Amino acid sequence: MSKAQKRKRLNQDDGESKTPANKSTVDGSNPYPTLLRPTAEECRDVRDALLSLHGFPPEFANYRRQRLRSFSAVDGHDTQCNVKSEPLDDAEVESVLDGLVKILLSQNTTESNSQRAFASLKAAFPNWDDVLAAEPKSIESAIRCGGLAPKKAVCIKNILNRLQNERGVLCLEYLRGFSVEEVKTELSHFKGIGPKTVSCVLMFNLQHNDFPVDTHVFEIAKALGWVPKTADRNKTYVHLNRKIPDELKFDLNCLLYTHGKLCSNCKKNVAKPKAKAKAKVASPDNCPLVGFSDLV
């Protein structure tokens, strides 16, 4: 049976999957119970095709190594904070608080701008205690190159104030000992932190098998027919986390995000412009996802 025939058969809406549902990090029922895509085989094929085109994205390599070490470790995480404030350093093992702030700074801007904003924040304030003590305008100035500086500065201050008031220490390492639902509940108490940010922290910094849905992943998922064209991002998140096998989530997510940035064919559906990529760019002629969808 060809891949096209398989997809046609899977898209039939008469009946539900005969295979057990994939273990998921989301609660509640699947919003699209009769949509059987993506299958595990399809996820693996897309992962392999994008990996062949792009290689594994180097900006996510450290996170991948952390996951491999985490999954192979015998002992559990050390969830205790041994210092009063986590330094903003460039160590390979990124602290959860560093990761959260980096993700916040990446919102509504390019990757290069968000990296510059975090580097500027580090240069202006050696540690998180200094950020907490700083005036919002000073924080805004430090992160201005990342865009939406007033909003992001307030969010950062809110996070630090809550940590100081609730726990007496500027540290989020305690989340390493939490379940997925406990992490979601805890971070939901921090004003300005939305579901996508929480999902990114779960996947990148806490090594959970979660699958964030950013603009690129969302648009490609719709183009591939993995969710209906009318799907919203929240329902897409629930559906994909239920259908994509845990062992494929991290690599597939990183590769879809990277491909969405680089492929001129796939990013035509994304309105927000992105910085020019230096890596190999896929065109409609060599985009490997064309074989999985009606992208052209």
Side-chain angles (χ1 to χ4, degrees):
M1 183 183 294
S2 69
K3 288 184 178 178
Q5 289 174 320
K6 287 182 180 179
R7 288 199 300 274
K8 182 176 180 181
R9 186 171 181 177
L10 288 169
N11 281 327
Q12 292 176 343
D13 58 1
D14 53 346
E16 298 191 5
S17 172
K18 296 179 181 179
T19 58
N22 181 49
K23 184 179 179 181
S24 175
T25 55
V26 295
D27 284 336
S29 60
N30 191 329
Y32 310 115
T34 61
L35 179 57
L36 306 186
R37 299 181 66 199
T39 64
E41 179 185 10
E42 189 176 15
C43 291
R44 189 170 288 105
D45 287 346
V46 169
R47 188 273 312 270
D48 291 345
L50 294 181
L51 192 61
S52 177
L53 177 66
H54 299 294
F56 189 78
E59 63 266 33
F60 301 125
N62 281 349
Y63 295 113
R64 197 172 192 275
R65 284 194 290 270
Q66 290 175 42
R67 290 177 68 84
L68 293 175
R69 284 200 301 267
S70 173
F71 295 152
S72 63
V74 175
D75 297 327
H77 290 296
D78 179 4
T79 60
Q80 300 301 316
C81 293
N82 298 320
V83 293
K84 185 176 181 181
S85 176
E86 295 172 87
L88 289 139
D89 57 36
D90 289 321
E92 182 174 309
V93 180
E94 181 178 78
S95 73
V96 181
L97 184 53
D98 277 22
L100 174 59
V101 173
K102 283 183 178 180
I103 293 165
L104 289 171
L105 292 175
S106 72
Q107 295 173 0
N108 300 105
T109 191
T110 63
E111 188 173 334
S112 60
N113 283 344
S114 67
Q115 290 173 349
R116 286 171 52 214
F118 189 75
S120 177
L121 184 66
K122 289 200 299 180
F125 307 103
N127 57 60
W128 291 116
D129 285 314
D130 295 331
V131 180
L132 179 61
E135 293 295 327
K137 290 294 183 182
S138 298
I139 302 174
E140 287 180 32
S141 297
I143 64 174
R144 194 170 306 282
C145 60
L148 299 178
K151 179 180 179 180
K152 292 176 182 178
V154 169
C155 187
I156 292 170
K157 285 282 282 188
N158 285 341
I159 292 169
L160 298 180
N161 278 320
R162 182 177 180 86
L163 283 173
Q164 186 64 46
N165 293 335
E166 296 291 326
R167 305 192 71 86
V169 60
L170 303 182
C171 176
L172 283 171
E173 296 307 299
Y174 65 93
L175 294 178
R176 296 190 188 276
F178 281 23
S179 68
V180 169
E181 285 308 312
E182 288 171 335
V183 171
K184 290 181 177 181
T185 299
E186 179 71 6
L187 290 182
S188 71
H189 296 149
F190 292 84
K191 188 176 181 180
I193 298 180
K196 192 198 83 170
T197 297
V198 174
S199 184
C200 287
V201 170
L202 283 166
M203 185 179 77
F204 287 116
N205 299 106
L206 299 175
Q207 290 79 49
H208 284 294
N209 293 314
D210 211 52
F211 194 85
V213 177
D214 80 316
T215 301
H216 300 292
V217 172
F218 182 47
E219 294 299 339
I220 291 177
K222 288 192 293 183
L224 288 172
W226 289 3
V227 292
K229 298 291 186 183
T230 56
D232 61 33
R233 198 175 296 190
N234 288 336
K235 289 181 179 179
T236 298
Y237 168 78
V238 173
H239 179 73
L240 294 184
N241 269 284
R242 289 193 175 281
K243 300 301 294 183
I244 297 173
D246 282 348
E247 67 272 15
L248 298 177
K249 284 179 178 176
F250 182 82
D251 286 1
L252 182 59
N253 194 276
C254 294
L255 287 162
L256 286 175
Y257 168 80
T258 298
H259 187 72
K261 288 194 306 176
L262 301 182
C263 179
S264 60
N265 187 61
C266 292
K267 71 179 181 181
K268 67 186 178 183
N269 295 321
V270 181
K272 189 166 73 68
K274 294 291 180 181
K276 290 184 178 180
K278 296 180 180 179
K280 183 178 180 181
V281 177
S283 68
D285 293 330
N286 69 354
C287 174
L289 300 187
V290 171
F292 296 91
S293 66
D294 298 324
L295 282 168
V296 174

